[in-house]
Structures are given as C-alpha cells and as structure tokens.
Amino acid sequence: MSGRDYLHIWYLAQSAVILFLLLLIGAWEAYHGIRMVVVIIPVAVIMLLAIVSSILDQQPHWLELINRWVQALCQPLILTVVWGMVTRILIVRLQLPARGIVALGMIYYVVMFAPFASEIGGQLQWTVARIFYLFWWFNTVLAMEIALPLKFTGPHAFAVLISTGAVGAISYFVMVTTVMRAWKLSWPGIKPQFGWGFSWIVLAILIIADLWFTIWNAYGTGDRWQTVLTSYHLVWKRPTGTFTMQAFEAAVGEETLCRFGFLGCSLYAFRKFTNRIPYAVVLSSALFALIHYFNLFGQSFSMTTVQVLSAFSLGLFYAVVYLYTGQLWIPMLMHFLLDWTSFTASNSTMMSGNAGAMDWLTLVLQMILFIAITIWMMFGKRRHVMKRHADRLIGEDQHFGFRLEFN
C-alpha cells in the first residue's frame, strides 16, 4: 500500500468519527432544546457525503464534482470546529485536565488535515483552483483560537501557541506538504542539494543583504534623506513569547503559503514557458503582497499600501533565495528574524499612523535593493541553479508513490 492508501483509510475513519460526534452532539442539543442543531444537520450531511463519495469505486461525475468542491470549501472548517467542541466537552463536561487534553489536541491538530489534503486536495487539477484553496485553507492557521477560546487552553504557554497561530502554522505546513505531494510537485527542501554552479559567495551576498535589511528595518532611525541609511538605535529589548510566536507563525505560515505553495504552483503552470522562473517569482510575490491588504482592518490605507509594496519586493527576494538554495527553511528563517526584530523593536505587530515621506523613501530604497538582487539572480550560473531547483520543485527527478508492504 502507498502512503496515499493509508491516508485514504485515515480520511474515512476520521470522517466517520466526525459524523458520529456531530450526530451525538446534535442529539444532545436537540434533547436540551438548543437550536444549534439546525446547523449541525447540514454539516453532518456534508460529512456523510464525504464518506459515501470516498467509499464508492464508481460514482457519477456530478457527485464527484460536488463532493470535491463542497469538501474543499467546508471540511477544514468543520474539522476545526468539531476539534474545538470535542476539546471543550472533554474539559468542561468530563472534567478532564485541561493541560493534558489541550496538549494532545494540539498534537492531533498538527496532522489532522493531512488525510483531507491527500484525499480532497489531491483531486484539484486547475492551477487557479489550487492557488485559491491554498489561500482558503490558510484559515486553519488562526481558526484554532476561535474553535477553542483561550479560557479553555490551560497553561499560558498553550494559550500563546494557539492564539498566535504557531500550532496552526505547523499544521498548515503539514497540510500543504501533503497536498503538494498529492499534486506530484515538491518536498519543501530539507537536505541541501546544491550541485553544479552553486556559489557560496552568492549565498553569502544574499545572507548579508538580508541581515543588513533586517537590522535597518528594525533599528534604523533616520528621519531625513541624508541619514536614512546611516542612523541606527541599536538597543536590545527582551522579546516576549507572544511576539516570538507571532513571528514564527508569519514565517512558517506565509512562507509555506507563498514560497512553497504559490511559487510551486506557478512554476508548474508556467512549466512550458522559457521565462517561467521570472513569471512565477513575480506572480507568487504579487499574491504574497496582496494578502497584506487584510491588514487594513487595523491599519491606514496608505501605511498598508506601503506594507504591500514592501511585501512584494521581499517576496521577490525570498523567492530567489528559495529557488537558489532549494531550501524552504532558509527564507522561513529570514522572514522570522525580520518580523521578530521588527515586532520587538516597535513593540507592535501593526504599522500605526499614515505613511509619510520617509516611509515612501525607505520603501523605494528597499524595492531598489531587492528588485536589483532579483534581476541579478536571473542571469549566469545563478539562473541555471534556480532552474535546476525549479525542475525539482515541479516534480522532475523525484519519486512518488512510495509503498509500505507488510508480509
């Protein structure tokens, strides 16, 4: 049996358990006259559809299509909500210790979406659909806090891990890794495979540029164009656990979504184009930038626009770093250090006020730096190294369908 066969069995078992729990909770609420049962019934029907569709070897195309899109839209949210309800019931109704229940719950949450990603996500063939659902499934990163209110989480450390999305980011990474393999694309890169043409000097230049920008972004204090690059206030502030985990969530979650997911899907979509690498890099970076407009809920439009354009240039840089090294953990680490130092230095995760002249000036300097590096990376041996890694990221020279046989 292959890995996907085992995930199929897990998917059926998990769906059956979810359906049973929904019926049990619905019966209890109906008995006590709680009207929420009218919500549980259609959700139970969705899970029943998931089971029936997976069991049938031959099914009408319309049923397969409806099930695919309904499950892709709804099942991650259903799994999250039921996970939270069961966790609360075990703590409140059965009086089991919150520390142990939440710890086990977080562990299961990390792997809970893997069978769904293989069974349902693996059926998505259109690049636009893949990109859309990668973005939609990102809801699972922060949905934990909604499904399990902080008063039930037990120790403060657990509350931080859940409320910041740190656990959700790891879960999302596992989900996306599973679905990318189902699409016969890429591993995220763990073991370095640099090969011919790779230059440690080029990597050192990329790292130095990133470190300088990280320090400038967090500690630069220039308030005039003459001092914008030379004035710093290097004062160390003790980072809080919340800021650290928020930086971790952004690094792991956003790099998984944009560099691993968006970039991988874009490379596959442009696989027959001569300039597929710059096309994919620009598209994935633009998507990375646009999702920052969600920060409009807490920031001014002008400051958010500065952040969006900043994210675009950073996306270009992180994309070429990922393609040049083939290692997702490197842009993850760069992203983490950037946010961690920025959050700690500013004592905030949001950008306040309206964008001023200095904000636009620093943005222009940042975009010049990272666009120049991106263009430089598109030529010579650097491009050949990125092309080789791009081929691997879209599934070439990789093995799929590993099997485990038990005699």
Side-chain angles (χ1 to χ4, degrees):
M1 293 174 62
S2 69
R4 292 197 67 184
D5 292 330
Y6 288 105
L7 286 170
H8 173 73
I9 296 171
W10 183 359
Y11 175 80
L12 281 174
Q14 181 170 267
S15 298
V17 171
I18 294 295
L19 177 60
F20 171 77
L21 291 172
L22 285 169
L23 295 175
L24 190 64
I25 295 171
W28 184 88
E29 292 188 343
Y31 177 78
H32 289 84
I34 301 176
R35 293 184 178 181
M36 192 176 176
V37 68
V38 300
V39 177
I40 291 180
I41 291 175
V43 173
V45 170
I46 292 175
M47 295 310 301
L48 179 61
L49 175 63
I51 296 170
V52 171
S53 182
S54 294
I55 291 176
L56 293 177
D57 293 328
Q58 300 292 332
Q59 58 181 308
H61 178 67
W62 62 267
L63 178 62
E64 179 184 5
L65 192 63
I66 290 175
N67 178 69
R68 178 191 310 162
W69 293 102
V70 169
Q71 301 303 330
L73 280 170
C74 301
Q75 193 174 140
L77 298 178
I78 294 173
L79 292 175
T80 302
V81 171
V82 173
W83 171 86
M85 293 174 67
V86 171
T87 303
R88 293 198 304 270
I89 289 171
L90 291 175
I91 294 171
V92 177
R93 300 293 177 185
L94 301 184
Q95 296 294 305
L96 296 176
R99 183 189 298 268
I101 295 300
V102 174
L104 293 174
M106 288 192 296
I107 292 172
Y108 189 72
Y109 194 90
V110 167
V111 298
M112 182 170 67
F113 303 100
F116 158 81
S118 176
E119 187 77 11
I120 301 300
Q123 298 178 32
L124 301 173
Q125 299 300 318
W126 300 343
T127 299
V128 173
R130 290 176 174 181
I131 289 176
F132 170 77
Y133 280 109
L134 285 172
F135 171 73
W136 176 250
W137 297 335
F138 196 78
N139 289 318
T140 60
V141 173
L142 297 176
M144 285 184 76
E145 181 181 3
I146 300 173
L148 185 66
L150 297 184
K151 64 181 180 180
F152 297 108
T153 57
H156 175 70
F158 288 0
V160 171
L161 289 173
I162 291 174
S163 64
T164 59
V167 175
I170 299 173
S171 175
Y172 184 72
F173 173 78
V174 173
M175 187 200 319
V176 175
T177 299
T178 304
V179 79
M180 293 288 277
R181 296 301 291 179
W183 293 336
K184 298 189 183 304
L185 294 179
S186 152
W187 287 112
I190 299 175
K191 181 180 179 181
Q193 298 178 0
F194 297 134
W196 177 87
F198 180 86
S199 170
W200 289 100
I201 295 177
V202 172
L203 180 59
I205 292 172
L206 295 175
I207 292 174
I208 290 171
D210 175 74
L211 290 176
W212 173 81
F213 177 75
T214 298
I215 294 171
W216 181 58
N217 178 71
Y219 304 108
T221 57
D223 56 359
R224 295 177 300 168
W225 69 268
Q226 297 95 330
T227 60
V228 67
L229 297 177
T230 58
S231 179
Y232 296 87
H233 184 58
L234 298 173
V235 175
W236 174 254
K237 296 181 180 180
R238 183 181 179 86
T240 65
T242 298
F243 283 158
T244 300
M245 289 299 99
Q246 285 175 320
F248 175 85
E249 177 272 324
V252 174
E254 292 178 11
E255 293 306 305
T256 298
L257 171 63
C258 299
R259 250 56 67 187
F260 188 27
F262 287 169
L263 181 58
C265 290
S266 300
L267 286 169
Y268 183 78
F270 294 124
R271 64 191 181 279
K272 296 182 180 180
F273 288 72
T274 302
N275 292 317
R276 59 174 175 160
I277 290 178
Y279 293 163
V281 166
V282 170
L283 176 58
S284 63
S285 301
L287 294 171
F288 174 58
L290 289 174
I291 63 177
H292 285 78
Y293 267 122
F294 283 95
N295 290 335
L296 279 172
F297 291 105
Q299 298 177 170
S300 68
F301 178 79
S302 61
M303 190 60 79
T304 303
T305 299
V306 168
Q307 188 180 34
V308 166
L309 294 173
S310 172
F312 175 71
S313 64
L314 274 169
L316 296 175
F317 177 71
Y318 290 152
V320 295
V321 169
Y322 178 40
L323 286 176
Y324 190 71
T325 62
Q327 308 300 300
L328 186 63
W329 65 267
I330 296 179
M332 278 184 177
L333 180 59
M334 290 178 170
H335 194 153
F336 169 78
L337 290 175
L338 178 68
D339 284 355
W340 186 56
T341 54
S342 176
F343 295 166
T344 302
S346 65
N347 199 35
S348 175
T349 60
M350 304 296 286
M351 301 172 70
S352 60
N354 294 308
M358 289 305 301
D359 295 306
W360 292 104
L361 175 60
T362 55
L363 171 65
V364 169
L365 294 175
Q366 173 191 335
M367 295 190 72
I368 290 174
L369 170 66
F370 289 134
I371 291 175
I373 290 175
T374 302
I375 294 173
W376 176 64
M377 293 294 291
M378 295 295 168
F379 295 94
K381 292 181 180 179
R382 298 176 296 276
R383 184 184 180 103
H384 289 291
V385 173
M386 291 197 296
K387 182 181 181 301
R388 183 170 66 247
H389 285 144
D391 291 339
R392 182 176 63 82
L393 294 176
I394 62 172
E396 295 186 13
D397 300 323
Q398 293 202 60
H399 300 288
F400 298 90
F402 292 100
R403 305 184 69 84
L404 295 174
E405 303 291 348
F406 298 95
N407 297 321

Coordinates of all heavy atoms in Angstrom, one line a residue, residues 95-160:
Q95 N -14.6 16.9 32.9 CA -13.7 17.3 33.9 C -12.3 16.7 33.8 O -11.7 16.5 34.8 CB -14.3 17.0 35.3 CG -15.6 17.8 35.6 CD -15.5 19.3 35.7 OE1 -14.6 19.7 36.5 NE2 -16.2 20.0 34.9
L96 N -11.9 16.5 32.6 CA -10.5 16.0 32.4 C -9.6 17.2 32.4 O -9.9 18.3 32.1 CB -10.4 15.3 31.1 CG -11.3 14.0 30.9 CD1 -11.2 13.4 29.5 CD2 -10.9 13.0 32.0
P97 N -8.3 17.0 32.8 CA -7.4 18.1 33.0 C -7.1 18.8 31.7 O -6.7 18.2 30.7 CB -6.1 17.4 33.5 CG -6.2 15.9 33.2 CD -7.7 15.6 33.2
A98 N -7.2 20.1 31.7 CA -7.1 20.9 30.5 C -5.7 20.8 29.9 O -5.5 20.7 28.7 CB -7.4 22.4 30.8
R99 N -4.7 20.7 30.8 CA -3.3 20.7 30.3 C -3.1 19.5 29.4 O -2.6 19.6 28.3 CB -2.3 20.6 31.5 CG -0.8 20.6 31.1 CD 0.0 20.3 32.3 NE -0.2 21.3 33.4 CZ 0.6 22.4 33.5 NH1 1.6 22.6 32.6 NH2 0.4 23.3 34.4
G100 N -3.5 18.3 29.8 CA -3.3 17.1 29.1 C -4.1 17.0 27.8 O -3.7 16.7 26.7
I101 N -5.4 17.4 27.9 CA -6.3 17.4 26.8 C -5.9 18.4 25.7 O -5.9 18.0 24.5 CB -7.8 17.7 27.2 CG1 -8.3 16.6 28.2 CG2 -8.7 17.8 26.0 CD1 -8.3 15.2 27.6
V102 N -5.5 19.6 26.1 CA -5.1 20.6 25.1 C -3.8 20.2 24.5 O -3.6 20.4 23.2 CB -5.0 22.0 25.7 CG1 -4.5 23.0 24.7 CG2 -6.4 22.4 26.2
A103 N -2.9 19.6 25.2 CA -1.6 19.2 24.7 C -1.8 18.1 23.6 O -1.3 18.2 22.5 CB -0.7 18.6 25.8
L104 N -2.7 17.1 23.9 CA -3.0 16.0 22.9 C -3.7 16.6 21.8 O -3.5 16.2 20.6 CB -3.8 14.9 23.6 CG -3.1 14.1 24.7 CD1 -4.0 13.1 25.3 CD2 -1.9 13.3 24.0
G105 N -4.6 17.6 22.1 CA -5.4 18.2 21.0 C -4.5 19.0 20.0 O -4.7 18.9 18.8
M106 N -3.5 19.7 20.5 CA -2.6 20.4 19.6 C -1.8 19.5 18.8 O -1.5 19.7 17.6 CB -1.7 21.3 20.5 CG -2.4 22.5 21.1 SD -1.2 23.8 21.8 CE -0.5 22.8 23.1
I107 N -1.4 18.4 19.4 CA -0.6 17.4 18.6 C -1.4 16.8 17.5 O -1.0 16.7 16.3 CB -0.1 16.2 19.5 CG1 0.9 16.7 20.5 CG2 0.5 15.1 18.7 CD1 1.3 15.7 21.6
Y108 N -2.7 16.5 17.8 CA -3.5 16.0 16.7 C -3.9 17.0 15.7 O -4.0 16.7 14.5 CB -4.8 15.3 17.2 CG -5.6 14.6 16.2 CD1 -5.1 13.4 15.7 CD2 -6.7 15.1 15.6 CE1 -5.8 12.7 14.7 CE2 -7.4 14.4 14.6 CZ -6.9 13.2 14.1 OH -7.6 12.5 13.1
Y109 N -4.0 18.3 16.1 CA -4.3 19.3 15.2 C -3.2 19.5 14.1 O -3.5 19.8 12.9 CB -4.5 20.7 15.9 CG -5.2 21.8 15.1 CD1 -6.5 21.9 15.1 CD2 -4.4 22.7 14.3 CE1 -7.2 22.9 14.4 CE2 -5.0 23.7 13.6 CZ -6.4 23.8 13.6 OH -7.0 24.8 12.9
V110 N -2.0 19.2 14.5 CA -0.9 19.4 13.5 C -1.0 18.4 12.3 O -0.7 18.8 11.2 CB 0.4 19.1 14.3 CG1 1.6 18.9 13.3 CG2 0.8 20.2 15.2
V111 N -1.6 17.2 12.6 CA -1.7 16.2 11.5 C -3.1 16.0 11.0 O -3.3 15.3 10.1 CB -1.1 14.9 11.9 CG1 0.4 15.0 12.3 CG2 -1.8 14.3 13.2
M112 N -4.1 16.7 11.6 CA -5.5 16.4 11.3 C -5.9 16.7 9.9 O -6.8 16.0 9.4 CB -6.3 17.3 12.3 CG -7.8 17.1 12.2 SD -8.8 17.9 13.5 CE -8.5 19.7 13.1
F113 N -5.3 17.6 9.2 CA -5.7 18.0 7.9 C -5.0 17.2 6.8 O -5.3 17.3 5.6 CB -5.5 19.5 7.6 CG -6.3 20.3 8.6 CD1 -5.6 20.9 9.7 CD2 -7.6 20.5 8.5 CE1 -6.3 21.6 10.6 CE2 -8.3 21.3 9.4 CZ -7.6 21.9 10.5
A114 N -4.0 16.4 7.2 CA -3.2 15.6 6.2 C -4.1 14.7 5.3 O -3.9 14.7 4.1 CB -2.0 14.9 6.8
P115 N -4.9 13.9 5.9 CA -5.7 13.0 5.1 C -6.7 13.7 4.2 O -6.9 13.4 3.0 CB -6.5 12.1 6.1 CG -6.4 12.8 7.4 CD -5.1 13.6 7.4
F116 N -7.3 14.8 4.6 CA -8.1 15.7 3.8 C -7.3 16.2 2.6 O -7.8 16.3 1.5 CB -8.7 16.9 4.6 CG -9.1 18.0 3.8 CD1 -10.3 18.1 3.2 CD2 -8.2 19.1 3.7 CE1 -10.7 19.2 2.4 CE2 -8.6 20.2 2.9 CZ -9.8 20.2 2.3
A117 N -6.1 16.7 2.9 CA -5.2 17.3 1.8 C -4.9 16.3 0.7 O -4.9 16.6 -0.5 CB -3.9 17.8 2.4
S118 N -4.7 15.0 1.1 CA -4.4 14.0 0.2 C -5.7 13.6 -0.6 O -5.7 13.4 -1.8 CB -3.8 12.7 0.9 OG -3.6 11.7 0.0
E119 N -6.8 13.3 0.1 CA -8.0 12.8 -0.5 C -8.7 13.8 -1.3 O -9.1 13.5 -2.5 CB -8.9 12.3 0.6 CG -10.1 11.5 0.1 CD -9.8 10.1 -0.4 OE1 -8.7 9.6 -0.1 OE2 -10.7 9.5 -1.0
I120 N -8.9 15.0 -0.8 CA -9.7 16.1 -1.5 C -8.8 17.0 -2.2 O -9.0 17.3 -3.4 CB -10.6 16.8 -0.5 CG1 -11.6 15.9 0.2 CG2 -11.4 17.9 -1.2 CD1 -12.5 15.1 -0.7
G121 N -7.8 17.5 -1.6 CA -6.9 18.4 -2.2 C -6.2 17.8 -3.4 O -5.9 18.5 -4.4
G122 N -5.9 16.5 -3.3 CA -5.2 15.8 -4.4 C -6.0 15.8 -5.7 O -5.5 15.5 -6.8
Q123 N -7.4 16.0 -5.6 CA -8.2 16.0 -6.8 C -8.2 17.3 -7.6 O -8.7 17.3 -8.7 CB -9.7 15.6 -6.4 CG -9.9 14.3 -5.7 CD -11.3 14.1 -5.2 OE1 -12.2 14.6 -5.9 NE2 -11.5 13.4 -4.1
L124 N -7.7 18.3 -7.0 CA -7.7 19.6 -7.7 C -6.6 19.7 -8.7 O -5.4 19.5 -8.4 CB -7.5 20.7 -6.6 CG -8.5 20.8 -5.5 CD1 -8.1 21.9 -4.5 CD2 -9.9 21.2 -6.1
Q125 N -7.0 19.9 -10.0 CA -6.1 19.9 -11.1 C -5.8 21.3 -11.7 O -4.7 21.5 -12.2 CB -6.6 19.0 -12.2 CG -6.8 17.5 -11.7 CD -5.5 16.9 -11.3 OE1 -4.4 17.1 -11.9 NE2 -5.5 16.2 -10.2
W126 N -6.7 22.2 -11.6 CA -6.5 23.5 -12.1 C -5.6 24.4 -11.2 O -5.8 24.4 -10.0 CB -7.9 24.3 -12.3 CG -8.9 23.6 -13.2 CD1 -8.6 22.6 -14.1 CD2 -10.3 23.8 -13.2 NE1 -9.7 22.2 -14.7 CE2 -10.8 22.9 -14.2 CE3 -11.1 24.7 -12.6 CZ2 -12.1 22.9 -14.5 CZ3 -12.5 24.7 -12.9 CH2 -13.0 23.8 -13.9
T127 N -4.7 25.1 -11.8 CA -3.7 25.9 -11.1 C -4.5 27.0 -10.3 O -4.1 27.3 -9.1 CB -2.7 26.5 -12.0 OG1 -1.9 25.5 -12.6 CG2 -1.7 27.4 -11.2
V128 N -5.5 27.6 -10.9 CA -6.2 28.7 -10.2 C -6.9 28.1 -9.0 O -6.9 28.7 -7.9 CB -7.2 29.3 -11.2 CG1 -8.1 30.3 -10.4 CG2 -6.5 30.0 -12.3
A129 N -7.5 26.9 -9.2 CA -8.2 26.3 -8.0 C -7.2 26.0 -6.9 O -7.5 26.2 -5.7 CB -8.9 25.1 -8.5
R130 N -6.0 25.5 -7.3 CA -5.0 25.1 -6.3 C -4.6 26.4 -5.5 O -4.5 26.3 -4.3 CB -3.8 24.5 -7.0 CG -4.1 23.1 -7.5 CD -2.9 22.5 -8.3 NE -3.1 21.1 -8.7 CZ -2.2 20.4 -9.4 NH1 -1.1 20.9 -9.7 NH2 -2.5 19.1 -9.7
I131 N -4.3 27.4 -6.2 CA -3.9 28.7 -5.6 C -5.0 29.2 -4.7 O -4.7 29.6 -3.5 CB -3.5 29.7 -6.6 CG1 -2.1 29.3 -7.3 CG2 -3.3 31.1 -6.0 CD1 -1.7 30.2 -8.4
F132 N -6.2 29.2 -5.2 CA -7.3 29.7 -4.3 C -7.5 28.9 -3.1 O -7.6 29.5 -2.0 CB -8.6 29.6 -5.1 CG -9.9 29.9 -4.3 CD1 -10.2 31.2 -3.9 CD2 -10.7 28.9 -3.8 CE1 -11.3 31.5 -3.1 CE2 -11.8 29.1 -3.0 CZ -12.1 30.4 -2.6
Y133 N -7.4 27.6 -3.2 CA -7.7 26.8 -2.0 C -6.5 26.8 -1.0 O -6.6 26.6 0.2 CB -8.1 25.3 -2.3 CG -9.5 25.3 -2.7 CD1 -9.9 25.1 -4.0 CD2 -10.5 25.5 -1.8 CE1 -11.3 25.0 -4.4 CE2 -11.8 25.4 -2.1 CZ -12.2 25.2 -3.4 OH -13.6 25.2 -3.7
L134 N -5.3 26.9 -1.5 CA -4.1 27.1 -0.6 C -4.3 28.3 0.2 O -4.1 28.3 1.4 CB -2.8 27.2 -1.4 CG -2.3 26.0 -2.1 CD1 -1.1 26.3 -3.0 CD2 -1.8 25.0 -1.0
F135 N -4.9 29.4 -0.4 CA -5.2 30.6 0.4 C -6.3 30.4 1.3 O -6.3 30.8 2.5 CB -5.5 31.7 -0.6 CG -6.0 33.0 0.1 CD1 -5.2 33.8 0.8 CD2 -7.4 33.3 0.0 CE1 -5.7 34.9 1.5 CE2 -7.9 34.4 0.6 CZ -7.0 35.2 1.4
W136 N -7.4 29.7 0.9 CA -8.6 29.5 1.7 C -8.3 28.6 2.9 O -8.7 28.9 4.0 CB -9.7 28.8 0.8 CG -10.9 28.5 1.6 CD1 -11.3 27.2 1.9 CD2 -11.9 29.3 2.2 NE1 -12.5 27.2 2.6 CE2 -12.9 28.5 2.8 CE3 -12.0 30.7 2.2 CZ2 -14.0 29.1 3.4 CZ3 -13.1 31.3 2.9 CH2 -14.1 30.4 3.5
W137 N -7.4 27.6 2.7 CA -7.1 26.7 3.8 C -6.2 27.4 4.8 O -6.0 26.8 5.9 CB -6.4 25.4 3.3 CG -7.3 24.6 2.4 CD1 -8.7 24.6 2.4 CD2 -6.9 23.7 1.3 NE1 -9.2 23.8 1.4 CE2 -8.1 23.2 0.7 CE3 -5.7 23.3 0.8 CZ2 -8.1 22.3 -0.3 CZ3 -5.7 22.4 -0.2 CH2 -6.8 21.9 -0.8
F138 N -5.6 28.5 4.5 CA -4.8 29.3 5.5 C -5.7 29.7 6.7 O -5.1 30.0 7.7 CB -4.2 30.5 4.8 CG -3.1 31.1 5.6 CD1 -1.8 30.5 5.5 CD2 -3.3 32.3 6.3 CE1 -0.8 31.1 6.2 CE2 -2.2 32.8 7.0 CZ -1.0 32.2 7.0
N139 N -7.0 29.6 6.5 CA -7.9 29.9 7.7 C -7.6 29.0 8.9 O -7.8 29.4 10.0 CB -9.3 29.8 7.3 CG -9.8 30.9 6.3 OD1 -9.5 32.0 6.5 ND2 -10.6 30.5 5.3
T140 N -7.1 27.8 8.6 CA -6.9 26.8 9.7 C -5.7 27.3 10.6 O -5.6 26.8 11.7 CB -6.5 25.5 9.1 OG1 -5.3 25.6 8.3 CG2 -7.6 24.9 8.2
V141 N -4.9 28.3 10.1 CA -3.8 28.7 11.0 C -4.3 29.5 12.2 O -3.9 29.2 13.3 CB -2.9 29.7 10.2 CG1 -1.8 30.3 11.1 CG2 -2.2 28.9 9.0
L142 N -5.3 30.3 12.0 CA -5.8 31.2 13.1 C -7.2 30.7 13.6 O -7.7 31.3 14.6 CB -5.9 32.6 12.7 CG -4.5 33.3 12.3 CD1 -4.7 34.7 11.8 CD2 -3.6 33.3 13.5
A143 N -7.7 29.7 13.0 CA -9.1 29.3 13.4 C -9.1 28.5 14.8 O -10.1 28.4 15.4 CB -9.7 28.3 12.3
M144 N -7.9 28.1 15.2 CA -7.8 27.3 16.5 C -8.4 28.2 17.6 O -9.1 27.7 18.5 CB -6.4 26.9 16.8 CG -5.9 25.8 16.0 SD -4.2 25.3 16.5 CE -4.6 24.4 18.1
E145 N -8.0 29.5 17.6 CA -8.4 30.4 18.7 C -9.9 30.5 18.8 O -10.5 30.7 19.8 CB -7.7 31.7 18.6 CG -8.0 32.7 19.7 CD -7.3 34.0 19.5 OE1 -6.7 34.2 18.5 OE2 -7.5 34.9 20.4
I146 N -10.5 30.6 17.6 CA -12.0 30.7 17.5 C -12.7 29.4 18.0 O -13.6 29.4 18.7 CB -12.4 31.1 16.1 CG1 -11.8 32.4 15.7 CG2 -13.9 31.1 16.0 CD1 -12.0 32.7 14.2
A147 N -12.1 28.3 17.5 CA -12.7 27.0 17.9 C -12.5 26.6 19.4 O -13.4 26.0 20.0 CB -12.1 25.9 17.0
L148 N -11.4 27.1 19.9 CA -11.1 26.8 21.3 C -10.7 28.1 22.0 O -9.6 28.5 22.0 CB -9.9 25.8 21.4 CG -9.6 25.3 22.9 CD1 -10.8 24.5 23.4 CD2 -8.3 24.5 22.9
P149 N -11.7 28.8 22.7 CA -11.4 30.0 23.4 C -10.3 29.9 24.4 O -10.1 28.8 25.0 CB -12.8 30.3 24.0 CG -13.8 29.7 23.2 CD -13.1 28.4 22.7
L150 N -9.6 30.9 24.6 CA -8.4 30.9 25.5 C -8.7 30.4 26.9 O -7.8 29.9 27.6 CB -7.7 32.2 25.4 CG -7.2 32.7 24.1 CD1 -6.4 34.0 24.2 CD2 -6.3 31.6 23.4
K151 N -9.9 30.6 27.4 CA -10.2 30.3 28.8 C -10.1 28.8 29.0 O -10.1 28.3 30.1 CB -11.5 30.8 29.2 CG -12.7 30.3 28.4 CD -14.0 30.9 28.9 CE -15.2 30.3 28.2 NZ -16.5 31.0 28.7
F152 N -10.1 28.0 27.9 CA -10.1 26.5 28.0 C -8.7 26.0 27.7 O -8.5 24.7 27.8 CB -11.1 25.9 27.0 CG -12.5 26.3 27.2 CD1 -13.2 27.1 26.3 CD2 -13.2 25.7 28.3 CE1 -14.5 27.5 26.5 CE2 -14.6 26.1 28.5 CZ -15.2 26.9 27.6
T153 N -7.7 26.8 27.4 CA -6.5 26.3 26.9 C -5.5 25.8 28.0 O -4.5 25.3 27.7 CB -5.8 27.3 26.0 OG1 -5.6 28.5 26.8 CG2 -6.6 27.6 24.8
G154 N -5.8 26.2 29.3 CA -4.9 25.7 30.3 C -3.7 26.7 30.5 O -3.9 27.9 30.6
P155 N -2.5 26.1 30.5 CA -1.3 27.0 30.8 C -1.2 28.1 29.8 O -1.6 28.1 28.7 CB -0.1 26.0 30.6 CG -0.7 24.6 30.8 CD -2.1 24.7 30.3
H156 N -0.5 29.2 30.3 CA -0.3 30.4 29.5 C 0.5 30.0 28.2 O 0.1 30.6 27.1 CB 0.4 31.4 30.2 CG 0.8 32.7 29.4 ND1 -0.2 33.6 29.0 CD2 2.0 33.1 29.0 CE1 0.4 34.5 28.3 NE2 1.7 34.3 28.3
A157 N 1.4 29.1 28.3 CA 2.2 28.8 27.1 C 1.3 28.2 26.0 O 1.5 28.5 24.8 CB 3.3 27.8 27.5
F158 N 0.3 27.4 26.4 CA -0.6 26.8 25.4 C -1.5 27.9 24.8 O -1.7 27.9 23.6 CB -1.5 25.8 26.1 CG -0.8 24.5 26.5 CD1 0.5 24.3 26.2 CD2 -1.5 23.5 27.1 CE1 1.2 23.1 26.6 CE2 -0.9 22.3 27.4 CZ 0.4 22.1 27.2
A159 N -1.9 28.9 25.6 CA -2.7 30.0 25.1 C -1.9 30.8 24.1 O -2.5 31.2 23.0 CB -3.1 30.9 26.3
V160 N -0.6 31.0 24.3 CA 0.2 31.7 23.4 C 0.4 30.9 22.1 O 0.2 31.5 21.0 CB 1.6 32.0 24.0 CG1 2.5 32.6 22.9 CG2 1.5 33.0 25.1

